[in-house]
Every structure is written in structure tokens, then in C-alpha cells.
Amino acid sequence: MEWQTRINKLYQKLRVTLGQCDLCGNSISDNTNSLDTIISPRLICCHCLADLPLFTHTATQGDLLNWPAITKALPKIHFDHLFCLSPYLPPFTHWLPQFKYQGRFELASLFADLLAHQWRAFHFPINATPVDLIISVPLHISKWQYRGYNQAHLIAKPLAIKLQLPYDETVLIRSKKSISQVGKTGAQRRKSLTNAFALAHKLSAQVKHVILVDDVLTTGSTASEISKLLKHAGVSKVTVLTVCLTLPAR
């Protein structure tokens, strides 16, 4: 209910104001200064930060598409690399719905900080090629008007600033309105997303490597459809960056 959402938002803002960890509720005033280099403003304590279920990128050379179980679960994709912060597990299963539907915009900075830190920490082939542009998965205008914001844009903009890379929020538009993708199979998603995106303007000929940012990747259909469009426009490589990846069922 709307009143419950407002109360929860006020409660979370109060905890941040009081300097309490968003997860355990303990004070974060005693954290070491090193935490400030990763997360600002600080929302979680150093202990909860260490407990986050982040991917071990050394195991996949910084690219989750090197994990056979992931490539098997993502057939017919058109993007080249996949970099995700975490599997879709707690606390992200709580944070992302709060961010997406309850307007907890401070979490965008947390996600951007963590993604930027992880991206810079690994010097693998995935980021050996210079990135020319960062873009985000767009919303259809009707959904944007209803929700009032695009969660992917709220992550991508501060991420681009932290990585010191150009960001263009206008280049990509969602031209086809589709119903919710929740619960659909990969084939169903691919069918509903056909010709769902378009370029608002022509890309520069110098744009060859693009980072595409979204909150969660499930079947990869949205990212793949956008990647196909970008490659038709002359892009050579698309790297998908998301906060979470829904792991394939065993």
C-alpha cells in the first residue's frame, strides 16, 4: 500500500541520517576511512560490505560469459561480454525492488559505487578495449510517465562519472510498448521485444565499444535486442553491466 511505502522510505532515510547500516542497523561511524573510497554516502558498514554476495570475477576472467552454465542459459545473445555485481540474492532481492518501485534513489549511488569499484579492480580482456560510450536500457514513455524515472539511467549516470566515461541517455529509445516480462520464457521475451528499440540519432563512427547498463539480467533478451541494434549501427563490441544476474536453475 502507498502509506506503507512512504513509511518505509521515511524509516530508511532516518537510518541513513542517524548513520546506521542499512542492513544490520549498527552504527557505521566507526568504519575505516577506506570504506569512503568505495561507497559515498555510506549506507552499509564494512562488515556488511564484506558479506555481500559479489561475484568472484577472477574465476571468469571478468566476463560471466566465460562461465559455461551462463552461456548455456543465455542462448542467441548478441552482446559480447557480461559483467554483473552479484547473483540475484539477498540483500539485492530487497534492495532492487525498493529502488525500482519505492523510490529509494540513494541505492543508485550504492550500486554505481560497487560496480565502478569492481570494474576498476579487474584488468581482464573484458575492459582491455577502451570504452567509447555508456548507455542505459530505456523505458517506454508511458512507463516512464507512470513511474517518473528510469532505474537503469539512475545507475548508469553516476557510474559513467565514476569511470570517467561519456554517457548518452538520449541515444536509445523504446519505441514499442510491451507488457511485463516477468515470468516469460526467453523465447517469449525475444518475440515481444522484436523491434522494441530504436536509435534516436546516429552514433558517431568512433563509437565501437559500448557499455549497456541495466539493473537485472534474467534471460538477456532485452540486452541482446539492443546489442543487435547497436551492431547494425556500426558498434563492434557491447559489454552489458548489471547490478544482478538471475542465476539459471539447476
Side-chain angles (χ1 to χ4, degrees), residues 62 70 80 82 99 106 134 147 179 191 212 215-216 220 228-229 231 246:
I70 299 301
D80 303 281
L82 177 61
F99 169 55
E106 70 275 14
I134 292 181
R147 188 179 297 168
I179 62 175
K191 183 177 180 180
L212 175 64
D215 54 348
V216 182
K228 183 167 60 175
L229 175 67
K231 290 189 174 183
T246 302

Side-chain angles (χ1 to χ4, degrees), residues 60 62-68 70-72 74 77 79-83 238:
T60 59
D63 186 356
L64 287 170
L65 295 184
N66 290 328
W67 185 356
I70 299 301
T71 55
K72 183 178 180 180
L74 300 175
I77 57 173
F79 49 90
D80 303 281
H81 302 294
L82 177 61
F83 190 94
V238 178

Side-chain angles (χ1 to χ4, degrees), residues 52 70 72 91 130 153 166 174 179 182 187 205 214 229 240-241:
L52 292 178
I70 299 301
K72 183 178 180 180
H153 162 70
R174 186 159 190 156
I179 62 175
V182 176
D214 204 359
L229 175 67
V240 176
L241 259 68

Side-chain angles (χ1 to χ4, degrees), residues 3 9 13 16 30 38 84 96 108 112 119 124 133 142 167 171 224:
W3 66 269
K9 287 175 66 175
K13 288 181 179 180
V16 172
D30 296 330
I38 301 175
C84 304
L96 282 169
W119 178 264
F124 292 134
L133 184 67
S142 61
Y167 173 58
V171 67
S224 191

Side-chain angles (χ1 to χ4, degrees), residues 30-43:
D30 296 330
N31 282 335
T32 59
N33 290 333
S34 60
L35 191 62
D36 290 324
T37 64
I38 301 175
I39 301 173
S40 180
R42 292 180 294 176
L43 296 177

Side-chain angles (χ1 to χ4, degrees), residues 169-242:
E169 64 181 284
T170 66
V171 67
L172 196 64
I173 59 174
R174 186 159 190 156
S175 54
K176 176 183 173 182
K177 183 180 179 181
S178 58
I179 62 175
S180 174
Q181 303 296 306
V182 176
K184 288 187 177 182
T185 65
Q188 291 171 330
R189 290 182 182 224
R190 286 191 293 272
K191 183 177 180 180
S192 67
L193 290 168
T194 301
N195 299 320
F197 302 96
L199 292 177
H201 58 80
K202 188 176 180 180
L203 289 171
S204 167
Q206 284 71 43
V207 176
K208 296 300 181 183
H209 184 189
V210 172
I211 284 180
L212 175 64
V213 177
D214 204 359
D215 54 348
V216 182
L217 187 138
T218 302
T219 66
S221 300
T222 298
S224 191
E225 187 68 20
I226 293 173
S227 299
K228 183 167 60 175
L229 175 67
L230 292 172
K231 290 189 174 183
H232 285 165
V235 174
S236 301
K237 181 184 296 186
V238 178
T239 298
V240 176
L241 259 68
T242 69

